[in-house]
Amino acid sequence: MSKAQMTKTLRVAITAFCAAGVLAGSVLAGAAVAADRKPEDALKYRKGVLTGIAWHFGPVVAMAKGEAPFDQKQLSERAAAMAALSSMLGEGFIQGTAQGQIEGSRTLPVAFTDSADFQKKLEALQTATAALASASGSLAQGDLGKHVAAIGGSCKACHDTYRAK
């Protein structure tokens, strides 16, 4: 084997070894993070995601009402952000984060005991935001209201049942 071939073989072996190490480290770190989630961190995360959704939803509502200029590009960006954020929201609802278990939570304990219905309501939000994101590139301002109503309705349905007043 020539020196060039040996160098190439060694380089490939080292790269493979490093990649395996990175992958193993990532898997172990991910498992450690999942096992180590603290209720305080989950609550902060959840509030952050909800704040992000509201941040993007406000201007969309204003466009639908005619209170802000209709901007297709901004609508598409905000709709994509809401869809992405809503898909991450469930991760912040872990045991120990209900009202009465942790300071600052407004999530009623029933969200954790009736988790099938809670999940159904979360999926309604995800479906509504995904539908807006999918349609936003060609949506006319007049059609925006039905999407805003679907998203707002999914928020209300969950809040009415699972959020303390």
Side-chain angles (χ1 to χ4, degrees):
M1 189 182 303
S2 73
K3 184 176 180 179
Q5 288 173 324
M6 284 180 21
T7 301
K8 182 177 179 183
T9 302
L10 185 57
R11 204 175 294 145
V12 169
I14 290 171
T15 302
F17 179 75
C18 289
V22 168
L23 179 61
S26 296
V27 169
L28 292 174
V33 168
D36 242 6
R37 291 188 298 178
K38 295 182 176 98
E40 301 81 23
D41 295 336
L43 181 61
K44 287 178 193 173
Y45 172 83
R46 180 168 79 214
K47 286 182 173 188
V49 172
L50 287 166
T51 298
I53 292 170
W55 174 266
H56 291 287
F57 192 48
V60 171
V61 170
M63 280 189 250
K65 290 181 173 180
E67 296 170 354
F70 183 76
D71 181 329
Q72 198 90 50
K73 182 175 184 272
Q74 184 181 112
L75 172 62
S76 292
E77 290 170 357
R78 292 188 181 283
M82 287 189 296
L85 288 165
S86 70
S87 72
M88 296 185 283
L89 184 56
E91 193 175 341
F93 289 92
I94 66 168
Q95 290 297 325
T97 62
Q99 184 182 46
Q101 296 176 322
I102 186 170
E103 181 73 31
S105 177
R106 293 173 57 191
T107 303
L108 296 173
V110 70
F112 300 96
T113 58
D114 191 2
S115 60
D117 185 62
F118 180 79
Q119 184 63 34
K120 181 179 165 187
K121 287 177 172 41
L122 177 58
E123 288 170 2
L125 172 64
Q126 294 165 343
T127 299
T129 57
L132 176 59
S134 176
S136 65
S138 59
L139 198 64
Q141 183 175 6
D143 296 324
L144 184 54
K146 70 179 181 179
H147 289 279
V148 166
I151 293 168
S154 67
C155 292
K156 182 180 183 333
C158 192
H159 289 179
D160 284 353
T161 307
Y162 298 111
R163 182 172 159 187
K165 307 296 184 239

